[in-house]
Amino acid sequence: MSFFEVVDPVFSTFVMGNAPVKEIASGFDWVEGPVWFGDQNCLLFSDIPNNRIMRHIPGVGTSVFRAPSNFANGHTRDREGRLVSCEHGTRRVTRTELDGSITVIADSFEGKRLNSPNDVIVASDGAIWFSDPHYGIMTNYEGFRSEQELPCNVYRVDPSGKIRAVLTDFNCPNGLAFSPDESRLYVADTGRMFTDDPQHIRVFTVGSDFSLSGGEVFHVIRPGCADGMRLDSEGNLWSSAGDGVHCIAPDGRLLGKLLVPETVSNICFGGRGRHQLFITATTRVYAISLNRQGAR
Ligand code: MG
């Protein structure tokens, strides 16, 4: 059994023949939003339909970190190490302060409620960028079925708390990631369910005033679609896909795949030196050690 598929020979130097794609936790319904806390040696991730955030400590086990979680989806950490979370149930983005209290980062735009924030990243200036597709309000499975008040946009909340819609021409923006130098922003469009919307990753050039230009299709994931994504330190994009995790060069070429037996929703680098990739995939969480390092 192979855990990899090499498309470009360089990918064989990214993986190690004796490092498996290993299941580390199971028993969930739809896992998402992995985020690594190196200082606490643990991984947090969402089990969205079960309305909880889980914590996995390598070598120890997995337990509930927060329940109910307001149907939390994507997470990240800000520059001070605080947890930043997307919540479907409350249709907001929050920050968990170091004392455990919750601060609302965004829950509306121009007087209308957000849809169901999905994935979030924090730039080096402290600004919080997040996607707001409508998946969490379409049914009662991953939140509460409700009316959509806003288009499915990408927003930026600047360090003073001012929110701006920065991408407004997506069907359903989902995973997002910066290149290591933050000159590029990658955004996955997963389309509206049950339609033949395009599903692909687009790439934008980030201007000095945080305006975005370009936006061409960077890569089309097959099979399945791109959801969560992360960059390694050399600028290769690692994307979730229907058959595992795909590694894509900065020029958009597929270099290789990590093969995972379930549909992958999201990934994050972590472990000692950020050389491990944690993979949330439907009912289980997997991990693999790589000869790569996650971007800071
Ligand atoms: Mg997502």
Side-chain angles (χ1 to χ4, degrees):
M1 160 173 195
S2 176
F3 296 106
F4 326 115
E5 185 179 318
V6 175
V7 177
D8 183 296
V10 72
F11 188 71
S12 59
T13 69
F14 294 1
V15 292
M16 296 176 284
N18 59 348
V21 173
K22 187 171 73 175
E23 176 191 321
I24 60 168
S26 64
F28 315 108
D29 284 335
W30 181 251
V31 281
E32 248 281 8
V35 58
W36 176 253
F37 281 69
D39 50 337
Q40 298 173 47
N41 189 42
C42 75
L43 179 80
L44 299 186
F45 58 93
S46 297
D47 179 12
I48 306 177
N50 292 308
N51 199 12
R52 56 187 182 168
I53 301 171
M54 308 300 295
R55 171 171 43 203
H56 175 80
I57 303 174
V60 176
T62 306
S63 58
V64 174
F65 171 76
R66 179 184 297 168
S69 64
N70 298 323
F71 294 92
N73 186 337
H75 305 279
T76 192
R77 299 182 76 181
D78 71 7
R79 297 288 154 160
E80 295 178 41
R82 297 170 296 192
L83 177 69
V84 178
S85 303
C86 295
E87 300 178 1
H88 288 177
T90 39
R91 302 169 71 160
R92 65 186 190 179
V93 177
T94 62
R95 179 175 62 228
T96 301
E97 306 295 344
L98 298 179
D99 66 2
S101 60
I102 303 286
T103 300
V104 177
I105 302 295
D107 60 5
S108 63
F109 178 66
E110 294 181 339
K112 296 176 178 151
R113 300 183 72 192
L114 298 175
N115 297 317
S116 49
N118 187 294
D119 214 343
V120 60
I121 53 178
V122 178
S124 54
D125 67 345
I128 294 171
W129 300 61
F130 66 94
S131 60
D132 186 40
H134 65 322
Y135 298 127
I137 54 172
M138 288 176 73
T139 67
N140 287 312
Y141 184 56
E142 294 194 355
F144 303 105
R145 185 184 165 94
S146 189
E147 288 304 308
Q148 182 176 348
E149 299 175 27
L150 286 166
C152 298
N153 295 328
V154 172
Y155 298 94
R156 175 180 181 269
V157 181
D158 74 19
S160 75
K162 190 165 176 291
I163 183 169
R164 188 160 62 92
V166 290
L167 292 174
T168 56
D169 65 341
F170 274 67
N171 289 308
C172 278
N174 201 320
L176 58 179
F178 283 118
S179 61
D181 64 2
E182 296 185 7
S183 67
R184 291 173 135 194
L185 174 69
Y186 299 93
V187 184
D189 194 338
T190 39
R192 290 160 295 184
M193 281 183 219
F194 318 120
T195 70
D196 55 2
D197 284 344
Q199 299 183 326
H200 48 224
I201 301 166
R202 293 168 62 188
V203 61
F204 297 85
T205 300
V206 184
S208 55
D209 58 351
F210 308 109
S211 62
L212 300 174
S213 57
E216 63 273 14
V217 173
F218 171 71
H219 189 85
V220 179
I221 295 282
R222 291 217 171 81
C225 57
D227 191 339
M229 306 178 285
R230 291 288 191 278
L231 277 290
D232 67 29
S233 60
E234 312 226 319
N236 299 299
L237 179 77
W238 297 72
S239 172
S240 52
D243 59 348
V245 178
H246 293 191
C247 179
I248 303 152
D251 64 6
R253 275 179 309 119
L254 176 66
L255 300 178
K257 301 178 178 183
L258 306 176
L259 302 175
V260 179
E262 297 180 86
T263 297
V264 174
S265 65
N266 211 333
I267 54 177
C268 77
F269 283 93
R272 182 171 51 82
R274 306 190 307 283
H275 286 294
Q276 268 188 307
L277 192 69
F278 293 97
I279 303 166
T280 50
T282 312
T283 68
R284 294 179 174 85
V285 181
Y286 300 83
I288 181 173
S289 293
L290 296 171
N291 188 27
R292 296 272 91 193
Q293 188 173 36
R296 271 194 189 281

